[in-house]
C-alpha cells in the first residue's frame, strides 16, 4: 500500500515541496541564460506545458545580470513560474556580486562537489548559504555522482580498503553521494539555514544506484527529496530508464519533486520531459493533469485502424481543450475516456470509464454503443461516429464538471 515518506515542507515562492503537498514537476532550460529573449520563450513553453519550477543556468556575469530581466519579462507576460538558479564553481562570486540575481531567484541549486577545493570549499559553500539566508531563499543541495567531492570519496575509499570485507566500488560511490548530501545539509543548518528550506538530490545515471541511494536517504533524513536520473539519455531509452527508477521510488512513497532529464532531439523543444513527468505521476495515480484515454492495442478481431485514429483524435481534442477546461471545469483532469475496438473488452472498459465507446470488430454489428458513468446512453451508427462521439465527450464534460 502506498504511504508517502513524510518530509519537511519547503516553500519555493508559493510552490510547496514535501510534507503533504502534491509531487512537483520541474524542468530546466537549455538556452544561454544571457540570451534573455530565448530564455523567456523557453521558460514560458515549459510553464505552459505544466512545469511548476524551472531551473536556469547561472554560470557567468552575463547570465547573472540577465536573471532579473528574465523574471521581469515573465511577470509582465503573466508567467509566474518560480526560477531556480543552477550554480557551479563560481556561484559564491556571482551571488555576492549580483544582488538583484540573488534576490529575484526563487531557489538556489548548489552542487557541493563543485563549490571549491580544499580550504576554499567550506568558505565558498558558506558564502552561498549565508546569501540564501539573508534573502530567505531555499536551496537544493544537489549532489551528482559525476562531480563528487574528490576528497570525501578518497577518504571513503581509504577506509574501505582497510576493511576486512571491503565494499564494491559502486557501493562506495553510492555511500559518498549520500554522505556528501547529508553532511552538506548539516553544515548548511549549522551556518543558519533552516531544515525547512533545504531540498536534497543525489543524481545517479544507473537505475539500481538511484533506487539504492534514495532508499538510504529516506531512511536517514526528513529533508524534502528531489528525484531524477541524471544523463538519462535521448528518446525511448531515456524515458524508460527515468520511468523505471522514479516509479519504483515514488511507489514506495519516496520523492517530493521530480525531473525527467531527457536529451532533446536536435532542434527539438524541451517540453517533452515535462509531459513524461506528468504522465508518470498520473500513471501511478499520484496526480492528475489531463483526461486519460484508454484504447486497446488492436488484434485480429479489430477490422481496421479506425479505433486507433479515433483514440488519437480524442487525445488531440482533449489536449487542445485542456488549457481552457482546467479553468472552466475543475476536476476534468481526472476524467477517463475509453475507445475500444471490439466486443471482447469494449463494453466492460467503456463501463469502467467515465465515458467510453465500443466500436465494432470483425463480424460484429456495425454499431457503436456509448457508455456514460457505467450506463449505455446511445448507440452510434453511420459515417460520423467519430465526430458524434467527440461531441458527446464535450457535452459530458460540461454537464459533469461545470461548477454548480
Amino acid at each position: 500500500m502506498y504511504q508517502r515518506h513524510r518530509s519537511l515542507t519547503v516553500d519555493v515562492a508559493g510552490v510547496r515541496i514535501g510534507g503533504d503537498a502534491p509531487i512537483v514537476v520541474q524542468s530546466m532550460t537549455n538556452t544561454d541564460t544571457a540570451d534573455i529573449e530565448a530564455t523567456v520563450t523557453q521558460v514560458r513553453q515549459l510553464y505552459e506545458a505544466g512545469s511548476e519550477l524551472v531551473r536556469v543556468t547561472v554560470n557567468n556575469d552575463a547570465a547573472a545580470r540577465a536573471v532579473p530581466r528574465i523574471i521581469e519579462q515573465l511577470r509582465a507576460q503573466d508567467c509566474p513560474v518560480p526560477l531556480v538558479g543552477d550554480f557551479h564553481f563560481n556561484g559564491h562570486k556571482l551571488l555576492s556580486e549580483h544582488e538583484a540575481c540573488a534576490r529575484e531567484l526563487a531557489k538556489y541549486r548548489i552542487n557541493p562537489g563543485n563549490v571549491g577545493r580544499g580550504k576554499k570549499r567550506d568558505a565558498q559553500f558558506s558564502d552561498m548559504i549565508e546569501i540564501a539566508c539573508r534573502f530567505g531563499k531555499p536551496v537544493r543541495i544537489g549532489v551528482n555522482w559525476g562531480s563528487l567531492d574528490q576528497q570525501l570519496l578518497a577518504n571513503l575509499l581509504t577506509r574501505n580498503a582497510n576493511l576486512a570485507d571491503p565494499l564494491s566500488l559502486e557501493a562506495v560511490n553510492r555511500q559518498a553521494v549520500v554522505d556528501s548530501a547529508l553532511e552538506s545539509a548539516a553544515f548548511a543548518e549549522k551556518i543558519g539555514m533552516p531544515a525547512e528550506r533545504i531540498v536534497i538530490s543525489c543524481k545517479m545515471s544507473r537505475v539500481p544506484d538511484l533506487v539504492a541511494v534514495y532508499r538510504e536517504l529516506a531512511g536517514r533524513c526528513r529533508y524534502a527529496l528531489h528525484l531524477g536520473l541524471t544523463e538519462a539519455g535521448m528518446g525511448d531509452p531515456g524515458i524508460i530508464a527515468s520511468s523505471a527508477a522514479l516509479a519504483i521510488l515514488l511507489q514506495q512513497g519516496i520523492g517530493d519533486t521530480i525531473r525527467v532529464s531527457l536529451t532533446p532531439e536536435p532542434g527539438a523543444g524541451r517540453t517533452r520531459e515535462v509531459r513524461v513527468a506528468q504522465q508518470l505521476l498520473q500513471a501511478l495515480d499520484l496526480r492528475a493533469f489531463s483526461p486519460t484515454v484508454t484504447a486497446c492495442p488492436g488484434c485480429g478481431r479489430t477490422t481496421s485502424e479506425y479505433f486507433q485514429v479515433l483514440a488519437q483524435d480524442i487525445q488531440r481534442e482533449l489536449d487542445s481543450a485542456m488549457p481552457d477546461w482546467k479553468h472552466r471545469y475543475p476536476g476534468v483532469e481526472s476524467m477517463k475516456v475509453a475507445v475500444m475496438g471490439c466486443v471482447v473488452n469494449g463494453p466492460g472498459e467503456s463501463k469502467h470509464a467515465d465515458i467510453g465507446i465500443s466500436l465494432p470488430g470483425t463480424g460484429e454489428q456495425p454499431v457503436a454503443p456509448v457508455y456514460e458513468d457505467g450506463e449505455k446512453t446511445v448507440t452510434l451508427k453511420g459515417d460520423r461516429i467519430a465526430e458524434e462521439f467527440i461531441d458527446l465527450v464535450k457535452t459530458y464534460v460540461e454537464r459533469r464538471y461545470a461548477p454548480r
Side-chain angles (χ1 to χ4, degrees), residues 76-89:
Q77 296 177 28
D78 194 25
C79 181
V81 64
L83 288 195
V84 179
D86 190 51
F87 295 98
H88 297 270
F89 308 112

Side-chain angles (χ1 to χ4, degrees), residues 3-306:
Q3 185 173 356
R4 179 92 171 265
H5 170 253
R6 188 54 59 89
S7 57
L8 299 171
T9 303
V10 181
D11 186 286
V12 183
V15 175
R16 293 171 64 242
I17 296 174
D20 59 358
I23 295 166
V24 172
V25 173
Q26 295 194 35
S27 59
M28 184 175 183
T29 60
N30 61 356
T31 58
D32 178 356
T33 306
D35 186 339
I36 294 171
E37 182 179 355
T39 303
V40 168
T41 297
Q42 191 171 82
V43 171
R44 276 195 63 85
Q45 291 170 348
L46 292 166
Y47 170 69
E48 289 169 359
S51 184
E52 293 156 309
L53 291 176
V54 177
R55 185 157 48 112
V56 299
T57 297
V58 187
N59 59 333
N60 53 40
D61 291 315
R65 284 193 296 268
V67 164
R69 296 174 62 191
I70 290 167
I71 293 173
E72 181 182 18
Q73 289 194 24
L74 289 170
R75 287 171 179 160
Q77 296 177 28
D78 194 25
C79 181
V81 64
L83 288 195
V84 179
D86 190 51
F87 295 98
H88 297 270
F89 308 112
N90 58 354
H92 59 293
K93 290 185 178 179
L94 295 175
L95 287 170
S96 298
E97 296 171 5
H98 298 276
E99 184 174 307
C101 174
R103 185 177 58 250
E104 293 296 333
L105 286 169
K107 186 174 71 165
Y108 310 155
R109 190 269 180 145
I110 304 171
N111 183 342
N114 285 342
V115 296
R117 298 287 183 264
K119 295 180 180 179
K120 292 183 178 180
R121 179 193 179 280
D122 286 355
Q124 291 173 181
F125 182 83
S126 296
D127 288 345
M128 299 181 74
I129 296 298
E130 287 169 0
I131 293 169
C133 290
R134 189 194 332 153
F135 289 106
K137 305 296 182 181
V139 297
R140 169 153 71 98
I141 295 175
V143 179
N144 192 307
W145 86 292
S147 53
L148 267 172
D149 181 336
Q150 293 303 300
Q151 186 58 55
L152 183 149
L153 179 59
N155 291 341
L156 283 177
L157 287 170
T158 299
R159 278 188 299 217
N160 185 64
N162 293 324
L163 295 176
D165 186 16
L167 300 173
S168 67
L169 178 59
E170 290 79 6
V172 175
N173 271 324
R174 290 195 294 266
Q175 193 62 53
V177 168
V178 173
D179 287 354
S180 176
L182 294 181
E183 288 174 13
S184 297
F187 186 32
E189 284 197 67
K190 184 178 179 181
I191 296 167
M193 174 65 65
E196 294 81 3
R197 288 191 198 151
I198 297 174
V199 180
I200 283 182
S201 69
C202 288
K203 297 292 190 75
M204 313 292 285
S205 61
R206 294 179 63 250
V207 173
D209 290 330
L210 192 82
V211 172
V213 161
Y214 275 91
R215 281 175 173 166
E216 183 169 355
L217 277 174
R220 290 179 57 184
C221 76
R222 290 196 62 209
Y223 298 117
L225 301 178
H226 170 74
L227 303 186
L229 191 72
T230 190
E231 292 113 24
M234 182 181 290
D236 289 347
I239 292 172
I240 292 166
S242 288
S243 299
L246 270 58
I248 292 170
L249 292 166
L250 291 167
Q251 191 61 27
Q252 294 176 358
I254 299 170
D256 302 295
T257 171
I258 66 171
R259 181 189 172 206
V260 176
S261 301
L262 294 180
T263 304
E265 301 287 341
R270 195 74 164 177
T271 56
R272 191 180 188 191
E273 66 176 52
V274 178
R275 294 193 298 272
V276 171
Q278 291 178 327
Q279 289 163 5
L280 175 61
L281 292 174
Q282 187 149 334
L284 293 170
D285 280 340
L286 296 177
R287 289 190 67 180
F289 296 94
S290 62
T292 301
V293 177
T294 301
C296 65
C299 67
R301 287 178 172 272
T302 53
T303 56
S304 68
E305 63 178 17
Y306 186 79

Side-chain angles (χ1 to χ4, degrees), residues 316-397:
R316 189 179 296 114
E317 287 285 336
L318 295 175
D319 289 344
S320 65
M322 272 307 293
D324 175 52
W325 282 3
K326 68 183 179 182
H327 299 297
R328 295 177 56 196
Y329 303 118
V332 70
E333 64 276 1
S334 62
M335 181 177 70
K336 292 178 173 56
V337 181
V339 180
M340 305 301 293
C342 77
V343 74
V344 173
N345 293 317
E349 287 284 359
S350 298
K351 289 177 183 178
H352 288 308
D354 294 301
I355 180 169
I357 186 169
S358 179
L359 295 163
T362 303
E364 297 177 17
Q365 290 292 319
V367 296
V370 175
Y371 298 81
E372 298 181 23
D373 300 322
E375 302 292 334
K376 187 168 78 170
T377 57
V378 67
T379 299
L380 302 180
K381 304 176 183 179
D383 298 328
R384 297 192 67 256
I385 288 177
E387 293 90 336
E388 290 175 4
F389 182 64
I390 288 172
D391 288 340
L392 287 172
V393 171
K394 293 177 179 177
T395 300
Y396 179 86
V397 167

